[in-house]
């Protein structure tokens, strides 16, 4: 079944990046109709959009008027993506103005609509823009937060178009979920941790683990696709920032703990997918530890790191917040993977615990995962082998279910 994608492009310098987004959609087999504004064509001409989409483009409602494009395009769309979405376009969409083909399409669309804003920081932060964004989100549209980075000229700040590859992945998630379930986290603030922490022995060496951050990033991306405001606390991860997600970068377990605790004060849900180091050296050498001539190894004394999951579960910063932990287990003489997971769930006092069997190094660095989601009320959901994105959505389904309770 062909998926009909409408790619709206408004008049900002980031319009050239929408060419990459268009290419990703077409190369994935999607049928894409590009609807630029007149000002967008000042940045990227109509021949480029036509060549990449394989279709003619128009900005007004009079071209091929007998086909009634101002109604037909929106009615037939499975998803509408506006990238970049300028402050002007967001204002028109919020107020229902329809003075060109794109704004008419937005009024007739009954499918999920995703806006990827791009503008200068001052324009994004202006109360008028924020009010327009709030209005659109309240109506069910997914309005991503812009990325932080280099803007036009020498300016740097919040307002950069999210990476087109990440916008593409988010839109795929929206399509997979469908219109009915795409906004069930709208208005919710969620915190996700990802990656593995490092505990330094000296300026060049550290204790760490094999966590890649892929599952945490999948969780952040999935939450954003469902309308949530997402804070991602990222520990030593080199992946691209998920579209529409605020990223806080940390290295050590203490830094992870401080960032998570600060973010949970206003969070509706916290998902601790990161792998904090359980131990840290009691002392860190200021100079690189040298090899001994006699071949002996240095003795390193360790102490326990703070238990972040237990802390935020026992001392809830917000009543009713849903806390989710992860348990990477291998099973041993004391119990099976699930037995150890249930014991950890009780000990940590979180609401949900995602239990992974990591025997033989499974899961780490892989695009796929399988798990059992244990709940404090005794429920258990088995998630078969599949993508980490699929597991992420199951986890958010369980979180949303607890919101309803």
């Amino acid at each position: 079944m062909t998926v009909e994608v409408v790619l709206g492009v408004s008049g900002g310098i980031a319009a050239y990046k929408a060419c990459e987004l268009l290419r990703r959609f077409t190369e994935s087999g999607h049928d894409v109709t590009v609807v630029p504004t007149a000002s967008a064509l000042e940045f990227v001409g109509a021949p480029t959009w036509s060549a990449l989409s394989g279709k003619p483009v128009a900005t007004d409602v009079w071209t091929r008027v007998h086909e009634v494009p101002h109604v037909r395009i929106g009615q037939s769309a499975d998803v509408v993506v506006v990238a970049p979405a300028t402050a002007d376009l967001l204002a028109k969409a919020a107020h229902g103005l329809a003075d060109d083909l794109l704004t008419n399409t937005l009024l007739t669309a009954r499918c999920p609509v995703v806006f990827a804003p791009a503008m200068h920081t001052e324009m994004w932060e202006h109360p008028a823009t924020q009010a327009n964004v709030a209005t659109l989100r309240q109506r069910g549209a997914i309005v991503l937060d812009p990325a932080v980075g280099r803007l036009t000229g020498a300016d740097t700040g919040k307002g950069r178009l999210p990476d087109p590859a990440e916008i593409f992945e988010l839109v795929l998630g929206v399509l997979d979920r469908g219109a009915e379930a795409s906004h069930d986290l709208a208005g919710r603030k969620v915190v996700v941790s990802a990656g593995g922490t490092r505990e330094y022995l000296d300026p060049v060496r550290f204790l760490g683990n094999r966590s890649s951050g892929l599952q945490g990033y999948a969780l952040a991306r999935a939450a954003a696709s469902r309308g949530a405001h997402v804070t991602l606390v990222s520990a030593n991860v080199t992946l691209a920032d998920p579209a529409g997600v605020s990223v806080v970068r940390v290295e050590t377990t203490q830094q992870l703990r401080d960032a998570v605790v600060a973010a949970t004060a206003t969070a509706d849900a916290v998902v601790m997918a990161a792998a904090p180091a359980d131990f840290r050296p009691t002392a860190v050498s200021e100079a690189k530890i040298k090899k001994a001539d006699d071949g002996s190894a240095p003795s390193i004394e360790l102490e326990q790191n703070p238990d972040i999951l237990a802390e935020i579960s026992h001392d809830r910063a917000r009543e009713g917040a849903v806390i989710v932990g992860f348990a990477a287990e291998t099973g041993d003489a004391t119990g099976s993977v699930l037995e150890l997971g249930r014991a950890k769930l009780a000990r940590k006092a979180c609401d949900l615990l995602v239990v992974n069997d990591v025997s033989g190094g499974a899961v780490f660095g892989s695009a796929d995962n399988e798990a059992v989601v244990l709940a404090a009320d005794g429920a258990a959901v088995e998630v078969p082998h599949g993508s980490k994105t699929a597991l992420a959505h199951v986890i958010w389904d369980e979180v949303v279910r607890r919101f309803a309770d």
Side-chain angles (χ1 to χ4, degrees):
M1 178 173 153
T2 302
V3 174
E4 301 285 341
V5 177
V6 173
L7 175 59
V9 185
S10 57
I13 187 63
Y16 77 93
K17 295 183 180 180
C19 295
E20 180 186 345
L21 182 58
L22 170 57
R23 175 72 80 182
R24 288 180 179 272
F25 281 125
T26 56
E27 289 183 350
S28 299
H30 297 81
D31 185 279
V32 186
T33 300
V34 181
V35 185
T37 63
S39 56
L41 296 184
E42 297 290 332
F43 294 95
V44 181
T48 299
W49 300 119
S50 294
L52 291 176
S53 68
K55 294 181 177 182
V57 300
T59 64
D60 60 77
V61 300
W62 308 112
T63 302
R64 303 176 69 90
V65 69
H66 62 287
E67 296 179 356
V68 199
H70 72 291
V71 174
R72 178 187 56 79
I73 293 174
Q75 286 178 334
S76 62
D78 294 302
V79 66
V80 177
V81 186
V82 183
T86 60
D88 179 68
L89 188 282
L90 292 172
K92 288 180 177 179
H95 290 83
L97 300 182
D99 60 354
D100 61 8
L101 186 56
L102 178 54
T103 49
N104 272 271
T105 298
L106 291 171
L107 284 181
T108 58
R110 294 298 180 266
C111 58
V113 178
V114 179
F115 293 93
M119 63 196 74
H120 264 68
T121 306
E122 294 85 353
M123 299 174 73
W124 171 253
E125 293 178 346
H126 194 282
T129 302
Q130 289 301 301
N132 292 332
V133 168
T135 296
L136 291 168
R137 286 173 172 166
Q138 186 177 26
R139 291 178 186 157
I142 297 172
V143 185
L144 305 178
D145 277 1
V148 176
R150 184 69 176 268
L151 306 174
T152 306
D155 292 348
T156 298
K158 190 168 189 176
R160 184 181 177 90
L161 184 74
D163 187 282
E166 287 298 322
I167 298 174
F168 173 71
E169 290 296 331
L170 182 140
V171 173
L172 291 186
V174 171
L175 287 168
D176 287 343
R177 295 282 298 166
E180 292 289 326
S182 8
H183 311 123
D184 56 2
L185 286 175
R188 298 287 188 177
K189 294 183 178 180
V190 304
V191 178
V192 178
S193 69
T197 61
R198 297 174 177 177
E199 304 299 337
Y200 284 89
L201 302 170
D202 61 25
V204 298
R205 300 184 182 91
F206 59 83
L207 299 174
N209 57 65
R210 296 177 59 187
S211 178
S212 65
L214 287 170
Q215 185 63 73
Y217 274 57
L219 280 156
R221 191 182 295 113
S225 76
R226 295 166 76 149
H229 177 80
V230 187
T231 298
L232 174 62
V233 183
S234 176
N236 307 297
V237 178
T238 58
L239 303 171
D241 292 351
V245 170
S246 300
V247 181
V248 179
R249 291 180 173 81
V250 298
E251 283 191 280
T252 68
T253 300
Q254 186 62 49
Q255 291 171 351
L256 178 68
R257 180 262 172 203
D258 293 344
V260 168
V261 169
T264 56
T266 58
D268 297 294
V270 183
V271 183
M272 289 292 299
D278 292 326
F279 306 99
R280 65 187 176 199
T282 56
V284 179
S285 174
E286 294 184 359
K288 180 182 176 181
I289 301 172
K290 303 296 191 294
K291 291 182 180 179
D293 292 335
D294 62 3
S296 62
S299 176
I300 299 172
E301 185 178 353
L302 301 176
E303 62 183 352
Q304 282 196 7
N305 265 317
D307 190 327
I308 307 170
L309 179 58
E311 178 182 352
I312 64 173
S313 296
H314 285 282
D315 302 321
R316 304 281 175 127
R318 185 173 184 181
E319 186 178 353
V322 179
I323 310 295
V324 184
F326 271 69
E329 297 289 354
T330 58
D332 56 27
T334 64
S336 67
V337 168
L338 282 183
E339 288 170 342
L340 294 173
R342 289 191 178 93
K344 184 172 185 177
L345 173 64
R347 187 169 65 253
K348 303 291 186 179
C350 52
D351 301 293
L352 298 167
L353 188 73
V354 184
V355 182
N356 292 125
D357 185 342
V358 296
S359 302
V363 175
F364 297 115
S366 171
D368 296 331
N369 203 348
E370 60 182 288
V372 177
V373 182
L374 301 177
D377 59 12
V381 178
E382 292 188 22
V383 185
H385 188 269
S387 70
K388 288 183 173 177
T389 297
L391 174 58
H393 280 297
V394 172
I395 293 168
W396 289 122
D397 288 343
E398 293 304 308
V399 169
V400 169
R401 196 165 288 121
R402 269 117 193 118
F403 286 154
D405 293 342

